[in-house]
Amino acid sequence: MYSVKSIDKLIKEFSNLPGIGEKSAQRMAFFISRTSKEYAKRLIEAIREVMEKVKYCSICGSVTQTDPCPICQDKTRDTSIICVVEEPWDIFVFEKAGKFKGLYHVLGGAISPTKGMNPQDLNIRGLMQRVRTNRIREVILATDPNTDGQATALYIAKLLKKRGIRVTRLGMGLPVGGDLEFADEDTLSHALNGRRTM
Amino acid sequence: MRLYKTDAIVLSDSELGDQDKIITLLSDQYGKIRAVAKGARRLKSRFAPAVQMPSYVNAVLYRSQRIEVDTFNECKINSPFLGIRNDLVRLSYGYYLVELIMKFIRGAETPPFLFDLVLKMLFLLETTPEKSLPVLMRSFELKMLTILGYRPYLAGCVDCHRRIEKSRQVYFSGYEGGILCSSCSRKRVGKLVSYEAIRWMKFFANTPLKKLANMRAGEKIEKELKVIPESYIPHRLGEDVLSYDFIETVQDLEKDGDLEKIID
Ligand SMILES: [Zn+2]
Ligand SMILES: [Zn+2]
């Protein structure tokens, strides 16, 4: 079979990216092979910069260039309320909606026992530490509104309630199923206002 | 066959590209089905609410000659099992149940009675008092294993076929597939269990699920019966059932004493 070794190598790397199948990986690799040297350089540079400069915030676990992240450092934010999300990009969705003025906590996924994702694999320990050492009034559980997200919320709620902390879950307007990252600003604001105590 | 309609239980999902999900279903007539739910990752998707594990749904699916996965055309919810999905203990059993089916049913055929058993179990998982859930699950496991032709051998020693007498020690071997007498247990690996535990196993294998709704076998027996999920089933499968640990994790959380261990 006809193949070019260097391109095959690139196809293989691209197909490891989330949501990229073999066909898309092929298209991307052939695009790179024909693109200008300048574009390829910029792409390599952008990847290198992310590798070198982006790290995880030691407080909330989000991706950031400074540690702590700008949100955790922001003195104007309400430090008594924490919104717990599955992934760093969920924060971008909330920030875009602009209604939430508290702090965040990134779990790094959701409990999914059949896929081998257990509570120990998530950044729950960090959350409990924050709750213990800071004056926290409320924790909002903004995990995805699907079964795994619900399992995660139920688990964390149980831990927090034992410590006497008010736990709420995003409510009204947020349909069951789907991923939070697809929420538009209106839906998210509604869900935030309509949050229910767990 | 192009369009077909079936009742099914949602077993699991995985992401497909930016928008879609691949859903694995269990049906009575068509066995295990894998189907694409277009747009199911989006929040306002018409499929997303229906394709949540472990919902009982009625689906219209499209089967193509070219690809091995089907496509959802419609999906209505028969029962969302919110009583399971909104309760951590019940949900932990739900995950385990679903994983058992995912791993034991490989092909496009569901053995007779299995679908009804799973469905019945889901309804009972919603309503059975929490304290009876371990017993209910052991009974489900034994019934499922029977249907699949993997029922543990309990009539006598697996090796020498001698009847087990009440006065003698009994061993249970997940690897050998049943009980061992004390002399055979010297050359085979088995776990010491009580004569009572074996009697309970037989009872659970033969008693209808719904009659177990308020049943307990006692803490000691229930602990012994864990040889089924912890040894017998993994040996039949040739692999672990990952979500079994989550049941235990949730049980630990229920007990106050273990809270600090989990956090610190
Ligand atoms: Zn931070
Ligand atoms: Zn023997």
Side-chain angles (χ1 to χ4, degrees):
Chain A
M1 205 180 86
Y2 177 76
S3 80
V4 180
K5 221 172 161 191
S6 309
I7 293 186
D8 282 351
K9 213 162 123 190
L10 192 56
I11 292 173
K12 198 166 154 272
E13 294 307 328
F14 278 142
S15 61
N16 284 331
L17 294 170
I20 302 296
E22 190 149 359
K23 275 271 178 300
S24 309
Q26 232 168 46
R27 272 202 301 274
M28 287 161 74
F30 279 104
F31 173 82
I32 297 285
S33 74
R34 282 187 312 244
T35 192
S36 68
K37 282 234 160 45
E38 283 68 37
Y39 174 75
K41 260 190 196 144
R42 283 204 305 278
L43 182 63
I44 293 165
E45 201 38 54
I47 293 174
R48 200 209 314 279
E49 202 176 308
V50 167
M51 294 317 296
E52 281 167 5
K53 293 190 179 159
V54 174
K55 46 196 158 215
Y56 292 97
C57 172
S58 57
I59 298 172
C60 70
S62 181
V63 287
T64 173
Q65 296 215 51
T66 61
D67 187 17
C69 73
I71 294 175
C72 287
Q73 280 190 48
D74 188 342
K75 293 279 183 290
T76 68
R77 297 191 76 114
D78 182 352
T79 56
S80 71
I81 177 164
I82 296 178
C83 177
V84 176
V85 294
E86 288 182 16
E87 302 288 355
W89 50 85
D90 293 326
I91 293 180
F92 296 116
V93 184
F94 274 96
E95 287 301 291
K96 217 173 122 208
K99 289 288 189 313
F100 179 68
K101 294 295 173 210
L103 302 175
Y104 295 97
H105 189 85
V106 180
L107 295 171
I111 294 173
S112 190
T114 51
K115 290 168 188 156
M117 274 294 269
N118 286 301
Q120 308 86 276
D121 303 314
L122 302 174
N123 185 17
I124 295 175
R125 193 171 302 229
L127 175 66
M128 298 312 287
Q129 212 139 31
R130 288 176 78 183
V131 163
R132 241 181 320 174
T133 48
N134 299 287
R135 196 186 292 273
I136 305 298
R137 180 161 57 84
E138 180 185 349
V139 173
I140 304 172
L141 298 174
T143 47
D144 286 344
N146 51 34
T147 304
D148 286 348
Q150 182 67 1
T152 312
L154 289 168
Y155 184 86
I156 297 175
K158 216 155 228 179
L159 277 177
L160 290 170
K161 279 196 281 190
K162 288 193 177 194
R163 301 206 158 259
I165 289 157
R166 180 170 183 237
V167 186
T168 56
R169 179 101 170 100
L170 290 190
M172 272 186 345
L174 204 59
V176 173
D179 294 2
L180 203 63
E181 59 179 294
F182 293 97
D184 58 58
E185 289 135 55
D186 276 354
T187 308
L188 209 55
S189 304
H190 264 99
L192 207 50
N193 288 331
R195 64 186 188 268
R196 302 150 303 179
T197 303
M198 277 185 89
Chain B
M1 177 169 46
R2 297 178 80 80
L3 274 181
Y4 67 106
K5 189 172 182 169
T6 184
D7 283 332
I9 296 159
V10 178
L11 299 178
S12 91
D13 63 17
S14 56
E15 290 176 2
L16 177 71
D18 272 348
Q19 311 266 328
D20 310 336
K21 277 188 173 172
I22 292 188
I23 311 296
T24 307
L25 303 158
L26 180 77
S27 72
D28 198 3
Q29 210 185 333
Y30 306 97
K32 211 158 86 174
I33 301 168
R34 273 161 47 83
V36 176
K38 287 239 158 71
R41 291 193 62 200
R42 286 198 311 262
L43 273 182
K44 282 166 187 169
S45 149
R46 65 196 172 107
F47 294 128
V51 295
Q52 296 301 313
M53 186 290 277
S55 300
Y56 176 42
V57 299
N58 182 270
V60 178
L61 298 149
Y62 177 79
R63 181 158 293 180
S64 147
Q65 306 288 341
R66 289 179 301 113
I67 49 169
E68 53 183 308
V69 288
D70 298 350
T71 310
F72 277 95
N73 224 295
E74 277 173 54
C75 193
K76 285 195 217 92
I77 303 173
N78 294 333
S79 175
F81 291 121
L82 290 177
I84 298 173
R85 280 156 57 188
N86 290 328
D87 181 297
L88 190 60
V89 174
R90 294 173 196 282
L91 186 53
S92 69
Y93 281 98
Y95 276 117
Y96 174 65
L97 169 73
V98 153
E99 192 181 347
L100 283 179
I101 300 305
M102 284 287 284
K103 290 193 164 158
F104 271 113
I105 307 298
R106 305 264 178 200
E109 240 170 273
T110 303
F113 307 113
L114 187 73
F115 186 81
D116 285 345
L117 178 71
V118 176
L119 195 57
K120 215 173 274 169
M121 181 64 182
L122 285 168
F123 279 109
L124 286 169
L125 214 45
E126 244 185 342
T127 53
T128 300
E130 208 175 287
K131 62 174 173 50
S132 295
L133 291 177
V135 167
L136 185 73
M137 189 47 88
R138 293 303 87 83
S139 180
F140 171 81
E141 288 163 344
L142 288 164
K143 291 185 173 68
M144 176 198 70
L145 290 164
T146 303
I147 289 173
L148 294 167
Y150 290 131
R151 184 172 176 146
Y153 189 73
L154 303 171
C157 173
V158 203
D159 212 16
C160 69
H161 297 283
R162 246 192 307 241
R163 270 182 57 104
I164 305 290
E165 283 153 53
K166 198 174 175 178
S167 53
R168 310 295 286 271
Q169 285 182 320
V170 197
Y171 294 79
F172 186 89
S173 168
Y175 178 75
E176 300 290 343
I179 49 180
L180 292 170
C181 68
S182 51
S183 59
C184 290
S185 77
R186 269 176 233 132
K187 45 188 176 10
R188 306 255 182 270
V189 181
K191 201 176 172 197
L192 187 65
V193 289
S194 65
Y195 187 79
E196 281 299 294
I198 302 298
R199 283 187 53 188
W200 278 101
M201 268 189 213
K202 289 182 189 165
F203 174 75
F204 288 142
N206 298 323
T207 307
L209 285 176
K210 62 173 188 292
K211 290 205 172 155
L212 302 171
N214 271 304
M215 186 83 63
R216 282 213 72 167
E219 209 164 317
K220 182 180 163 281
I221 299 286
E222 285 172 19
K223 208 171 161 190
E224 289 187 87
L225 293 178
K226 285 184 181 176
V227 288
I228 300 167
E230 290 174 4
S231 169
Y232 188 83
I233 287 177
H235 274 112
R236 296 292 86 66
L237 275 175
E239 63 179 315
D240 284 337
V241 184
L242 299 174
S243 43
Y244 179 75
D245 282 349
F246 188 56
I247 297 178
E248 302 281 301
T249 305
V250 170
Q251 296 300 328
D252 285 349
L253 183 59
E254 296 289 306
K255 296 180 208 134
D256 275 332
D258 291 290
L259 182 60
E260 293 303 319
K261 190 186 82 195
I262 294 160
I263 302 164
D264 298 312

